[in-house]
Amino acid sequence: MARSPLKGVEDSRPGGFACMSDPKQPPHGDGAEREALSALDDGKTTRREFVGTAVVGGALLATGLLSLPANAKGSAKAPGLEGPPVAPVPLRLQINGKEHALEVEPRVTLLDALRENLGLTGSKKGCDLGQCGACTVLVEGRRVNSCLTLAVMQQGKQITTIEGLAQGDALHPMQQSFLAHDGFQCGYCTPGQIMSAVGFSREPWGQTDADIREGMCGNICRCGAYPHIVAAVRDGRGKKA
Amino acid sequence: MRPIDYTAAHDVKGALQTLAARPLDSAPIGGGTNLVDLMKIHVQNPALLVDINGLPLAEIQEVEGGLRIGALVRNSDLANHPLVRERYPVLSEALLAGASPQLRNMATVGGNILQRTRCAYFRDISQPCNKREPGSGCGAMEGFNRMHAVLGTSAQCIAANPSDMSVALAALDATVHVSGPQGERTVAFGDFHLLPGSTPERETVLRPGELITHVSLPASRFAARSRYLKVRDRASYAFALASAAVAIELDGKTIKDARVALGGVGTKPWRSAEAEKALIGQPADEVHFKAAAAAALKGAKPRAHNAFKVELARRTLVRVLALAAGLA
């Protein structure tokens, strides 16, 4: 049995993850959601109006009445990229057991490539600076923040996202455990929590709840669902996928 | 993030040539946990990234009783290596006290040594910062400086070095191995980081175009009895307010040899020769731990919001010395 890495050095405080009181940036904001929020900020557009506009825009795109920008195909410009687009480079990524060919700029993060280019929107963009864990995926079986690595650097690596956990209709035991223990509220952090918990289960930690809280400290939940998440991880990590 | 070019290097020579061809606007990228973060907030803006992950620098080897640690070894792998846990527990504890498990799976030894400060004025490009933009001033000096350094500061910069691992390396007499256009050289860990002085933008002795290739740890009589203690605003996933790495060799109840380094309070990983001097040859007891702690913080220069760090660092050091001596 591996010892707790920090045993005797620090104790964990009761109630939730030690990092739950973290005054981090708000962990919400997909590209569209960010636009929605900034639109709301000007006080002129209501959320309902914005959503209506977005739906109409989508419908127009679907019927071909609006043309896509020239660079949209295969190199959709992800949020957070400033300046003129530069030439995309061809990449091959191994995701959930399948090879994907795409073209993106070198500055595109793995998270943005998953979400914007490949339509795998299970991994969430929260802080986008490695602080909230909503973007956690497995690379070669180890959990990492996909917002802090470039897609171009991950070629040849086996990447697993939340979409790749279930086997057909059979949920991964950790997904099942999160359901059973009600380990989520708004659900935004949940894919990252589950991916982190799966990676955590393969790491040398002890079995205590304090170890679970420390081991899961890279994942922030704004709803504060930590007691349920700890229960879900405790239950889920002993079960074989 | 601004537009970048990207290329992957496959050996040290190739990486050095690529970096040398564009010395002013290229940067090597390993784990990327610090660099990509800083690129997103426009604090670092390299135009060319040279991916060094293909370089053969990810091994931990036993050499003459010590360890040779490749610059691309991930923090989690180093922390959990059996020889590190057995012979250099302070290093394992320091690594596991840093960041989150996800970040430790990506972050590398070389990158961690070069980790930039978390000073909020450095990270906010709308604020003046002599480190980011020499001559622009310092927002922290009269600003919100609760997280800032009290040791090694200058009139230009009070930013604290954020690395936990580096505090342990400072206490372990580590050596940094560097490769560059002029060949290879080694730098004692204590000489690797620079004090800010009037040039806070120069943080290490690494020259443009040079790469860290390895870190070596000598065989040590005292490292087996070594500990790291980190004190922060919450119990995990936060930067240190104060931390201390110590290693001691006991002869009965007498301290035969000692290494002391502090984190969170210095502008660089802070080895304290004064504290070591106050311990060596003395009984391992609270009286002498307190004397060492007083010696370590003697030159502290607190600002408006970080005066608490002086006492906090003292107590942290007394506590971790007691832990290392088996008295707590």
Side-chain angles (χ1 to χ4, degrees), chain A residues 36-104:
Chain A
L37 290 172
S38 66
L40 292 176
D41 283 344
D42 67 16
K44 292 172 192 160
T45 315
T46 66
R47 185 174 177 85
R48 186 179 297 272
E49 283 164 356
F50 174 82
V51 171
T53 310
V55 168
V56 170
L60 289 174
L61 276 177
T63 55
L65 294 174
L66 280 179
S67 62
L68 285 164
N71 69 336
K73 193 185 171 188
S75 60
K77 204 168 164 193
L81 303 187
E82 297 92 7
V86 298
V89 294
L91 317 179
R92 287 181 181 279
L93 294 176
Q94 306 289 332
I95 301 164
N96 302 328
K98 201 176 148 199
E99 182 167 285
H100 295 261
L102 62 160
E103 291 196 357
V104 295

Side-chain angles (χ1 to χ4, degrees), chain B residues 99-122:
Chain B
S100 69
Q102 288 100 313
L103 291 166
R104 295 197 291 268
N105 277 344
M106 299 168 81
T108 65
V109 168
N112 198 323
I113 293 171
L114 299 172
Q115 189 180 357
R116 312 294 304 274
T117 182
R118 302 299 295 194
C119 172
Y121 298 90
F122 170 77

Side-chain angles (χ1 to χ4, degrees), chain B residues 70-254:
Chain B
L72 289 168
V73 172
R74 308 286 149 169
N75 281 11
S76 46
D77 291 334
L78 185 59
N80 293 319
H81 193 280
L83 286 179
V84 174
R85 288 206 161 198
E86 180 195 325
R87 297 185 193 170
Y88 307 95
V90 65
L91 179 56
S92 184
E93 289 178 352
L95 285 159
L96 292 171
S100 69
Q102 288 100 313
L103 291 166
R104 295 197 291 268
N105 277 344
M106 299 168 81
T108 65
V109 168
N112 198 323
I113 293 171
L114 299 172
Q115 189 180 357
R116 312 294 304 274
T117 182
R118 302 299 295 194
C119 172
Y121 298 90
F122 170 77
R123 288 176 61 85
D124 181 347
I125 58 167
S126 72
Q127 298 290 324
C129 171
N130 290 323
K131 186 184 279 301
R132 193 185 64 245
E133 205 175 318
S136 63
C138 173
M141 208 67 73
E142 302 303 325
F144 188 65
N145 45 40
R146 180 173 176 275
M147 295 299 294
H148 289 71
V150 293
L151 293 166
T153 58
S154 74
Q156 276 72 43
C157 186
I158 57 171
N161 183 289
S163 168
D164 292 295
M165 183 194 74
S166 289
V167 185
L169 293 182
L172 290 172
D173 294 334
T175 302
V176 184
H177 299 252
V178 164
S179 219
Q182 274 87 49
E184 297 175 7
R185 64 188 180 112
T186 59
V187 185
F189 196 81
D191 298 330
F192 188 79
H193 294 88
L194 299 170
L195 290 171
S198 57
T199 54
E201 75 280 8
R202 291 185 56 222
E203 295 174 339
T204 71
V205 296
L206 205 62
R207 299 172 194 138
E210 279 186 329
L211 281 176
I212 297 175
T213 56
H214 301 86
V215 176
S216 54
L217 299 179
S220 163
R221 293 183 315 277
F222 47 80
R225 195 181 274 277
S226 66
R227 297 299 299 264
Y228 187 72
L229 181 63
K230 178 175 180 179
V231 181
R232 40 190 157 169
D233 280 327
R234 47 176 199 261
S236 59
Y237 200 15
F239 291 93
L241 293 168
S243 72
V246 300
I248 54 175
E249 184 186 11
L250 290 177
D251 182 4
K253 287 181 179 172
T254 305

